Amino acid sequence: MREDGSSALLTDHYELTMLQGALHSGAAARRSVFEMFARRLPEGRRYGVVAGTGRFLDLLQRFRFGQEELDFLSDHRVVDESTLEWLADYRFSGNVWGYGEGEAYFPGSPILVVEATFAEAVILETLALSVYNHDSAIASAASRMSVAAGDRPLIEMGSRRTQEHSAVAAARAAYVAGFATSSNLEAGRSFGVPTGGTAAHAFTLLHDSEQHAFKAQLESMGKGTTLLVDTYDVERAVRHAVELAGKELGAVRIDSGDLAATASRVRAQLDGLGATDTEIVVTGDLDEHSIQALAVAPVDGYGVGTSLVTGSGAPTVSLVYKLVARARGLTDDAPLEPVAKRSVGKPSRGGRKWSVRRLDDKGVAVAEEVYPHDPGEVVGTRPLLRPLVVDGEIVGRETVHRARERHRATVAELPEQALRMSRGDASLPTIFH
């Protein structure tokens, strides 16, 4: 994921043909405001989680049309020569505001606001949507899993179930939304996500016996390692594990069968063998519902793969990027006027917007409030939009650890009904003033 090349072709063909048409009509320089928002949450979800901000800013910095990109566009006749000349000098010089990464959002929340000329802003649509739709889907699912897990740690282990670059982005988003570690090493290198892992069934099958495999792992990784005990017979494997490691064995992992029942038997067996501090980690097609169902089982941690990297049934959160205002003329001081789409089932609300979250006297969120002007300091609310780019300069970078802290705080402020795993409507109303 550490790539220094241009990100400019991570876009759709029609973004550049729109640019060409606007240059031709003379409207390309018109000051415009685009907003990214969701008309609704994925069915049954009570809140969404903003993720991908850091990745978007990195890609925006590299959104440059170098000679290779220009040659491709020219060779394939995507745009004409005058548009190629414009693209050769492209540098985003506008302003971007956004919800802090890790923040909760609701239908209509202006998650990202881009103000620039039409030409500069419109060609960012696909880049912004591809990053935020994927990462927010993963983070929204991860947040629900984290709520279901409570204080028990979650391990992200879905790299083998998705495309290689998506795996890194998913690991990052999951960490923002509460997962403790990831199996993905590139996520560790690129974003500082803590990584971990021990061994799979292949390691046990490689050796002449399960005891031989366990002995090799313990000698190599230490007694604090996690031994996988369901390759053959679980009860026998646990006995061998404790015989070899003693009471210092870190953990055992169960990857199949009735996880709750097996974990209960294993806990009793471990305690009976004196390994009372040895933890039990379960993996195997888990999602937020199965994690919640395991709440009463003697489980100390969970590993989640497929369900996480596919958004647990919602692989996209259907964010859209719409023009909501444009200047009446081409001068810098020309006033902005609202514009809105009126399509049946796909309407948008015109006008630049500012949003705050309304809190009750106990600090619990009760509403998302959206204003047609900057409301300033409003008693009982906190602002949601923060500057990300000012006059083309990126000012909103922060670590995934800061985004993770924000997510923890925003979940703590949500009402109790937001944290239920059952299907329901958005837990906060969005009020447009």
Side-chain angles (χ1 to χ4, degrees):
M1 293 294 287
R2 282 185 173 176
E3 300 170 0
D4 298 324
S6 169
S7 63
L9 295 187
L10 297 175
T11 191
D12 285 318
H13 189 119
Y14 89 131
E15 308 289 11
L16 301 189
T17 51
M18 276 197 291
L19 167 65
Q20 176 178 306
L23 290 170
H24 178 76
S25 72
R30 179 170 278 180
R31 189 161 58 99
S32 302
V33 177
F34 284 81
E35 288 178 353
M36 186 173 70
F37 59 92
R39 294 188 176 94
R40 62 191 66 85
L41 297 177
E43 188 175 357
R45 296 284 177 88
R46 298 170 185 262
Y47 67 96
V49 178
V50 176
T53 308
R55 292 206 311 116
F56 171 70
L57 293 176
D58 288 344
L59 290 166
L60 176 61
Q61 186 171 38
R62 292 167 31 216
F63 201 83
R64 305 282 190 271
F65 291 83
Q67 196 57 54
E68 284 188 30
E69 290 73 39
L70 295 170
D71 286 346
F72 170 83
L73 297 175
S74 176
D75 292 346
H76 292 79
R77 299 181 180 179
V78 176
V79 291
D80 59 22
E81 285 300 320
S82 60
T83 305
L84 289 172
E85 291 174 8
W86 188 93
L87 290 171
D89 296 327
Y90 177 80
R91 299 291 185 275
F92 182 78
S93 63
N95 300 308
V96 181
W97 297 264
Y99 277 36
E101 188 159 21
E103 182 65 78
Y105 74 88
F106 299 90
S109 298
I111 293 171
L112 195 74
V113 180
V114 180
E115 183 173 353
T117 65
F118 177 85
E120 286 192 33
V122 72
I123 61 175
L124 299 181
E125 175 188 12
T126 300
L127 184 71
L129 289 177
S130 63
V131 171
Y132 278 92
N133 265 317
H134 174 269
D135 290 23
S136 297
I138 305 305
S140 297
S143 180
R144 284 165 57 83
M145 294 173 190
S146 297
V147 168
D151 294 333
R152 300 172 179 179
L154 289 158
I155 307 162
E156 184 283 315
M157 46 197 307
S159 295
R160 293 165 294 167
R161 299 294 186 264
T162 189
Q163 191 262 2
E164 65 273 19
H165 296 303
S166 297
V168 183
R172 181 187 181 280
Y175 181 69
V176 166
F179 273 55
T181 57
S182 171
S183 65
N184 191 285
L185 291 174
E186 187 59 56
R189 182 178 73 156
S190 292
F191 302 116
V193 175
T195 64
T198 51
H201 291 102
F203 185 79
T204 301
L205 295 169
L206 168 68
H207 292 82
D208 294 335
S209 69
E210 190 170 56
Q211 287 171 296
H212 186 198
F214 285 177
K215 185 173 184 293
Q217 184 175 332
L218 290 163
E219 290 177 350
S220 173
M221 303 178 196
K223 292 182 178 180
T225 191
T226 300
L227 296 177
L228 181 58
V229 295
D230 69 336
T231 305
Y232 305 116
D233 178 79
V234 173
E235 183 179 354
R236 183 176 61 188
V238 171
R239 185 173 66 254
H240 289 161
V242 177
E243 286 173 354
L244 290 167
K247 299 177 183 179
E248 299 175 34
L249 177 62
V252 297
R253 177 162 73 97
I254 306 166
D255 187 53
S256 58
D258 185 330
L259 296 177
T262 305
S264 294
R265 291 195 299 270
V266 168
R267 181 74 271 160
Q269 185 180 6
L270 287 169
D271 292 347
L273 293 170
T276 55
D277 292 330
T278 300
E279 296 186 338
I280 299 173
V281 177
V282 295
T283 56
D285 296 325
L286 297 176
D287 62 12
E288 62 266 45
H289 302 292
S290 54
I291 291 170
Q292 185 181 53
L294 287 164
V296 297
V299 171
D300 300 289
Y302 309 91
V304 189
T306 303
S307 184
L308 175 74
V309 298
T310 56
S312 194
T316 178
V317 290
S318 301
L319 298 172
V320 295
Y321 182 93
K322 297 299 179 184
L323 180 66
V324 296
R326 52 118 169 116
R328 291 179 183 171
L330 296 178
T331 60
D332 291 340
D333 60 352
L336 288 169
E337 60 183 6
V339 294
K341 182 178 176 182
R342 301 301 182 198
S343 306
V344 176
K346 293 186 176 182
S348 59
R349 291 177 180 266
R352 163 75 159 94
K353 304 172 192 69
W354 286 259
S355 55
V356 298
R357 186 151 300 151
R358 174 72 61 180
L359 309 174
D360 66 14
D361 56 4
K362 295 181 180 179
V364 177
V366 294
E368 195 98 326
E369 298 187 1
V370 182
Y371 291 82
H373 56 81
D374 187 350
E377 295 292 330
V378 180
V379 175
T381 70
R382 65 176 179 87
L384 294 168
L385 288 167
R386 56 192 296 269
L388 301 177
V389 182
V390 176
D391 296 332
E393 180 182 354
I394 294 173
V395 299
R397 277 201 177 91
E398 58 186 14
T399 67
V400 291
H401 311 296
R402 174 67 188 95
R404 178 182 173 86
E405 291 170 4
R406 179 182 293 111
H407 179 68
R408 184 182 294 116
T410 199
V411 168
E413 125 187 323
L414 292 176
E416 183 276 332
Q417 65 267 25
L419 308 182
R420 297 173 185 167
M421 293 300 109
S422 58
R423 298 168 69 85
D425 296 327
S427 58
L428 297 189
T430 303
I431 301 170
F432 290 90
H433 291 275

